[in-house]
Amino acid sequence: GENVEQHPSTLSVQEGDSAVIKCTYSDSASNYFPWYKQELGKRPQLIIDIRSNVGEKKDQRIAVTLNKTAKHFSLHITETQPEDSAVYFCAASLNNDMRFGAGTRLTVKP
Amino acid sequence: DAMVIQNPRYQVTQFGKPVTLSCSQTLNHNVMYWYQQKSSQAPKLLFHYYDKDFNNEADTPDNFQSRRPNTSFCFLDIRSPGLGDAAMYLCATSRGRTTQYFGPGTRLLVL
């Protein structure tokens, strides 16, 4: 089955700096890669996603890149703000079988 | 304008006493999922319904069952909860093989 690895497990940045979270996946057939943000005690919320036929996608301060050959994808957050502090999960999905990475706890210091 | 609703938000049960968690959705999505999330861990898929077809994950314990009486509702039954089943249970929905939207979760405490 699919295995998703996510790094780093914790990330601390200064407000205004950029943050990058990286994930790798094992099943080359996976074709959908969402990123979820989860604040303490709340539901995971989709922040951006990318499909296997696209290499890069951007939405304001958030961007995701996908390298199918290397089977890795990354989340980039620019101009970080304290409200970006949360746990971020990457996921890889084939059909309805979605596997999550272990999560990255991002802390943005004011 | 709640889209994926879970009840109750908090559930306390006793060791071995059956418990049912419920999920409903107003999105008319045809796929519904149940995830288990333990503290500081990623959500783990237990099973999902694609329309009426039930898909169980290979490592989901037999103690966990699910029912989907109609498109809008899905239930998670834990037949004999153990201490290790204490967790957040998340319901999610999707239209076909697309983005999954999560409910707020039910936090289960087993005494």
Side-chain angles (χ1 to χ4, degrees):
Chain A
E2 176 66 272
N3 182 46
V4 180
E5 294 192 358
Q6 183 172 347
H7 299 280
S9 56
T10 60
L11 179 60
S12 182
V13 300
Q14 209 64 38
E15 182 177 1
D17 288 350
S18 295
V20 180
I21 302 171
K22 299 182 179 182
C23 289
T24 61
Y25 60 99
S26 60
D27 189 344
S28 57
S30 289
N31 56 10
Y32 175 63
F33 307 90
W35 286 87
Y36 286 88
K37 175 184 179 182
Q38 188 174 29
E39 297 178 48
L40 188 62
K42 297 190 176 181
R43 76 187 79 191
Q45 295 224 318
L46 180 77
I47 55 170
I48 196 166
D49 56 9
I50 192 167
R51 296 196 178 274
S52 58
N53 59 346
V54 177
E56 185 174 354
K57 184 176 178 181
K58 189 174 181 181
D59 182 3
Q60 299 182 343
R61 297 185 298 109
I62 296 172
V64 58
T65 58
L66 171 65
N67 183 327
K68 282 192 299 181
T69 303
K71 290 188 284 187
H72 67 69
F73 56 114
S74 301
L75 177 71
H76 304 252
I77 306 174
T78 59
E79 299 171 30
T80 54
Q81 302 166 3
E83 50 266 39
D84 293 331
S85 296
V87 178
Y88 290 80
F89 291 101
C90 65
S93 179
L94 174 62
N95 297 327
N96 296 100
D97 188 3
M98 188 161 75
R99 304 290 164 168
F100 286 86
T104 296
R105 182 174 299 279
L106 174 65
T107 303
V108 180
K109 300 176 185 175
Chain B
D1 60 342
M3 295 183 290
V4 184
I5 304 159
Q6 290 189 245
N7 287 305
R9 296 293 309 277
Y10 299 91
Q11 176 73 56
V12 181
T13 191
Q14 291 179 330
F15 182 93
K17 185 175 180 181
V19 65
T20 294
L21 310 182
S22 74
C23 177
S24 63
Q25 51 125 344
T26 60
L27 298 163
N28 201 31
H29 283 172
N30 63 324
V31 191
M32 295 187 77
Y33 310 76
W34 279 105
Y35 288 86
Q36 179 192 65
Q37 186 177 29
K38 297 191 175 180
S39 182
S40 302
Q41 295 182 21
K44 180 180 179 301
L45 181 64
L46 296 173
F47 26 58
H48 74 274
Y49 275 94
Y50 195 109
D51 296 320
K52 295 181 180 180
D53 294 333
F54 179 70
N55 298 271
N56 196 32
E57 292 300 301
D59 57 354
T60 297
D62 292 340
N63 197 26
F64 291 86
Q65 306 281 317
S66 186
R67 297 170 283 134
R68 189 180 186 186
N70 55 52
T71 301
S72 300
F73 286 86
C74 195
F75 300 99
L76 170 62
D77 300 308
I78 308 176
R79 292 192 299 186
S80 182
L83 299 179
D85 296 328
M88 174 76 86
Y89 290 88
L90 294 161
C91 173
T93 72
S94 71
R95 175 168 287 127
R97 300 182 174 94
T98 60
T99 304
Q100 295 186 24
Y101 295 93
F102 285 85
T106 294
R107 185 167 295 281
L108 178 68
L109 181 62
V110 182
L111 300 178

